[in-house]
Amino acid sequence: MSNAAPTGVAPEAAHAHPIPDRHGQNLFTADTELHRLLALYLPDDLRRHMLPHFERLGGLAGGRLDELAGTADRNPPTLEHRSRTGLDAQRVVKHPAYVEMERLALSEFGLGAMSHRDETLGWKGRMPPLVKYVLTYLFVQAEFGLCCPVSMTDSLARTLRKFGSPELVARFLPRFQSLDFDTLAQGAMFMTEQAAGSDIAATLTRATQDAHGQWRLWGDKWFCSNPDADFAMVLARADGAPAGMKGVSLFLLPRELDDGAHNHYRIIRLKHKLGTRSMASGEIRLEGAVAYLVGEAGRGFQQMADMVNNSRLSNGVRSAGLMRRAVAEAEFIARERRAFGRALADMPLMRRQLDKLRVPAEQARTMVFQTAQALARSDAGEDGSYPLLRILTPLIKFRACRDARKVTGDAMEVRGGCGYIEEWSDPRLVRDAHLGSIWEGTSNIVALDVIRAVRREGSLPVLRAHCEALLAEAAQAPSVTPAFLDALRRALHGACALAETAAREGGEVLARQAASALYHCTSACAMAWEAAAGGSADRLRWAQLALLHRVLPRDPLAPDELPAGWTAVAARALA
């Protein structure tokens, strides 16, 4: 057999691999910043217990799970209306790759159940939210679509536990606590209607009671992800209820009735989506479907809001994960690809381009940790923790989800032409990233919710005090200079003043500007604290760049340097 290169091809070119391929790399072990943050935020015994699980999922996300995600993306689900024998038996047909990802997420790692169990992954006691979100952060770097059903399953169980009657909880919660893939339940929320959209007060779906007192639902729901879920939370207006928000109640809708028959609703069609192609989303027609009232009649929106807010936090986590995958791919390409005799990472323009990607990605990662910590404290009843959670949640949903759209797009450019090819992860990341700003409330809706938290929950003084405490601790480290801390405090004061103005004047004009300012200042304060506590020079620099380029005014024609006194080491800012 000849070892000669093909005719007309130089021997070295025949075996060259000019496009570096990161596939197979462990996404956890390669992420040194994540290790530093875990050491700051998790108790050491829990962190050590979870390390093998993080490592295993990181290996799967960089290898087998990534392959499954690509296969599921290329083979979206289909809807069958009848069995081959002619029975009306609707089912969503999922590709085996997607089913295998469901098994990994819901059964092996328990992502939908761990917050509702007393033991998961060998850890005795209730798992703190941060562990769930770190696992989700790793999982979503390979697969985004499935993480929506996972989040809704977790959020539905939380809402059921919080507002459901003892009888309802005892009857249905065990299936949400199960890790047995054949018996565990998946959840969904059927809320959106064509006429209503984000205006829940305009909900048209009707709820009636039959002769036996059983609630039945009638109407159309326009966008229902995971439409074949075992259970869904549904908003509907009971006959005779007042108009507006006070007439809307929350119901638990099972897919199957007690006798095993399908409940009285149909999937009209599946949506053809830009992204999240692996996961089914459809339109639902309720035709007298049996349902169970959850909590107090007429308080459906307030009760559903808890589920929505939990899902909004998950949206922020998923966007942070998408950004991390995009940035890590770009960094790998820049290190491994050579042009003009140099590695791309050694070229000044590429270094600045990578910093532009890293800063919003690291801001989002920090906000994941901060918000998950606030959720744990709020659930534990700690004073002041709920108002903090109440504002951090829409902040991360608003800004991180918007940032992911740009970061994933700009990271695709680093790979060059191959980044535009569907064989690589970049196009899927870009397509999926655009949904974060739409699910669970568009940007305008969520920005207004930030102002609502300021006005109704008194969240702003709590957030300011939280950031001030972080800066006070950061000041103990010699690497965090007084000049930088002063600039952070002045920016924080300005952001809070802007939010107060927005709250006082209605927020219709200033809400987005105020939400962005609060997000950038909060994340910069928290990153400065993380840098001081963990000794990370990179994290301190990213905090400085976040403040310089995302908050402070600057002359676009002036030399682009960090202000004097911010750091003892000369460093060039990004353009």
Side-chain angles (χ1 to χ4, degrees), residues 8 19 62 70 105 116 123 140 146 166 176 201 235 250 280 313 371 377 417 441 445 448 478-479 486 525-526 533 554:
I19 306 300
H116 316 289
W123 180 258
V140 79
L146 173 61
F176 291 97
L235 290 176
L250 182 62
L313 172 52
T371 311
R377 291 173 174 171
I445 294 295
L448 289 169
S479 59
D486 287 345
C525 290
R554 60 190 182 92

Side-chain angles (χ1 to χ4, degrees), residues 79 105 111 127 178 193 226 243 261 273 346 371 395 540 561 569:
L79 178 62
L111 295 182
M127 195 73 82
S178 174
E193 299 181 9
N226 208 23
K273 297 171 292 181
D346 294 333
T371 311
L395 283 178
L540 178 57
E561 303 283 348
V569 179

Side-chain angles (χ1 to χ4, degrees), residues 18 333-334 336-350 414:
I333 290 291
E336 301 298 326
R337 183 77 185 271
R338 299 185 66 82
F340 311 106
R342 303 162 66 188
L344 296 185
D346 294 333
M347 299 179 179
L349 284 176
M350 179 57 71
V414 178

Side-chain angles (χ1 to χ4, degrees), residues 119-310:
E119 179 182 350
T120 312
L121 298 174
W123 180 258
K124 304 289 186 182
R126 193 62 54 86
M127 195 73 82
L130 183 55
V131 169
K132 173 181 65 185
Y133 291 131
V134 171
L135 289 167
T136 302
Y137 181 82
L138 291 169
F139 196 100
V140 79
Q141 290 181 50
E143 165 61 12
F144 182 88
L146 173 61
C147 288
C148 171
V150 168
S151 169
M152 291 193 296
T153 299
D154 171 44
S155 299
L156 187 152
R158 175 185 172 90
T159 301
L160 177 62
R161 288 177 55 206
K162 192 168 183 178
F163 299 109
S165 66
E167 296 78 16
L168 208 60
V169 171
R171 183 177 176 184
F172 294 117
L173 185 62
R175 288 194 61 192
F176 291 97
Q177 296 170 318
S178 174
L179 299 181
D180 177 47
F181 190 60
D182 294 327
T183 61
L184 63 80
Q186 291 192 37
M189 63 172 80
F190 300 165
M191 182 168 60
T192 307
E193 299 181 9
Q194 283 180 290
S198 297
D199 184 6
I200 302 301
T203 295
L204 297 177
T205 301
R206 294 173 48 231
T208 63
Q209 283 185 292
D210 61 22
H212 305 287
Q214 176 67 64
W215 286 102
R216 295 192 175 259
L217 304 183
W218 309 81
D220 283 11
K221 295 295 184 178
W222 178 243
F223 201 103
C224 305
S225 289
N226 208 23
D228 62 335
D230 301 283
F231 296 90
M233 287 292 186
V234 183
L235 290 176
R237 188 181 305 279
D239 282 356
M245 200 78 76
K246 293 182 179 180
V248 178
S249 297
L250 182 62
F251 296 87
L252 180 68
L253 174 75
R255 184 178 65 185
E256 293 185 351
L257 301 175
D258 291 343
D259 61 3
H262 194 283
N263 204 348
H264 305 291
Y265 66 89
R266 291 185 294 129
I267 304 172
I268 302 301
R269 66 166 178 153
L270 297 185
K271 304 282 195 180
H272 297 285
K273 297 171 292 181
L274 173 67
T276 64
R277 295 174 179 173
S278 63
M279 183 269 299
S281 299
E283 300 167 21
I284 298 289
R285 176 159 295 163
L286 301 157
E287 301 171 319
V290 171
Y292 304 91
L293 180 67
V294 176
E296 183 181 345
R299 292 188 55 82
F301 173 74
Q302 290 84 349
Q303 292 157 179
M304 180 67 104
D306 187 78
M307 184 174 179
V308 169
N309 282 330
N310 207 49

